[in-house]
Amino acid sequence: MKESQVTMVELVLPNDTNILNNLLGGRLMHWMDIAAAISASRHCHNIAVTAEVDDLSFNEPIRLGNIVSLRASVNRAFNTSMEVGVKVEVENFKTGEKKHSNSAYFTFVSLDSVTGKKMPVPQVIPETDEEKKWYEDALIRRTQRLNKKHGIIHN
Ligand SMILES: CC(C)(COP(=O)(O)OP(=O)(O)OC[C@H]1O[C@@H](n2cnc3c(N)ncnc32)[C@H](O)[C@@H]1OP(=O)(O)O)[C@@H](O)C(=O)NCCC(=O)NCCS
């Protein structure tokens, strides 16, 4: 799992913000998608496209001048798809304060770069207890995701 993990660091600049000087939600989603795509491609050594993004909420504004660190990890690989978790941490470099601001799970599908056909992906090997938990939970989330996609509801 470690081999495909990605850390991406961005500085919130004026062009990334709205008129309140807060980071645009779309910009953050773009950064998360890029970090997740790099992690997925590193894992499968192929093109990987976004098939789905689970819930993403914006609970607190991220300010102009903050440092945004995104950590992406392929939690589990299935047949042609992978679940990638992305965790976002925001840092105020003046105070040194850091906090977790957002997380989301992305599903990527590996495609052959020439034919565009879906390609089988190698399995992920979790090592630490934390990685093993991400790996186990990813299967539960996949089942929920696919049930939702196919309109299967369990009460
Ligand atoms: C993603 C895409 C390749 C899936 O192709 P498809 O023929 O519909 O795929 P399938 O139904 O055979 O599913 C392929 C895999 O993706 C998974 N998958 C497909 N849709 C999914 C969804 N909404 N949520 C979770 N997983 C999904 C399937 O479970 C399957 O996984 P597995 O092979 O590991 O078992 C295709 O829909 C596509 O090209 N979408 C556009 C991708 C893109 O442009 N992304 C950028 C967004 S702007």
Side-chain angles (χ1 to χ4, degrees):
M1 197 181 279
K2 274 187 192 57
E3 282 182 26
S4 58
Q5 285 170 352
V6 168
T7 302
M8 193 169 113
V9 182
E10 298 281 347
L11 174 66
V12 181
L13 293 170
N15 199 37
D16 302 319
T17 62
N18 61 21
I19 52 175
L20 297 171
N21 284 337
N22 297 328
L23 177 64
L24 292 161
R27 184 77 83 225
L28 181 63
M29 289 193 278
H30 175 71
W31 290 343
M32 292 174 84
D33 192 36
I34 296 290
I38 295 170
S39 185
S41 293
R42 253 189 194 164
H43 177 72
C44 67
H45 302 288
N46 228 327
I47 305 277
V49 293
T50 320
E52 165 127 352
V53 187
D54 296 358
D55 302 341
L56 177 61
S57 47
F58 302 94
N59 301 317
E60 285 194 55
I62 299 173
R63 309 280 185 203
L64 177 67
N66 280 167
I67 296 168
V68 178
S69 301
L70 304 105
R71 282 199 303 128
S73 177
V74 176
N75 293 333
R76 189 158 179 155
F78 301 100
N79 302 302
T80 63
S81 70
M82 298 151 276
E83 184 197 90
V84 187
V86 181
K87 196 169 177 184
V88 180
E89 187 185 74
V90 176
E91 178 182 347
N92 178 332
F93 66 83
K94 289 182 190 156
T95 62
E97 187 195 5
K98 289 182 189 175
K99 58 182 165 186
H100 170 226
S101 72
N102 306 75
S103 293
Y105 297 105
F106 290 69
T107 301
F108 276 81
V109 176
S110 173
L111 301 182
D112 181 89
S113 58
V114 177
T115 63
K117 280 191 178 161
K118 288 169 281 185
M119 297 294 289
V121 289
Q123 295 309 296
V124 167
I125 303 166
E127 288 166 315
T128 65
D129 287 348
E130 187 180 44
E131 289 173 0
K132 285 176 187 162
K133 173 144 179 47
W134 295 345
Y135 182 87
E136 294 303 327
D137 291 351
L139 181 60
I140 299 167
R141 284 188 293 267
R142 168 180 157 97
T143 307
Q144 292 168 342
R145 221 170 266 136
L146 294 182
N147 283 346
K148 193 172 143 199
K149 184 179 174 188
H150 297 118
I152 302 164
I153 298 164
H154 298 289
N155 289 316

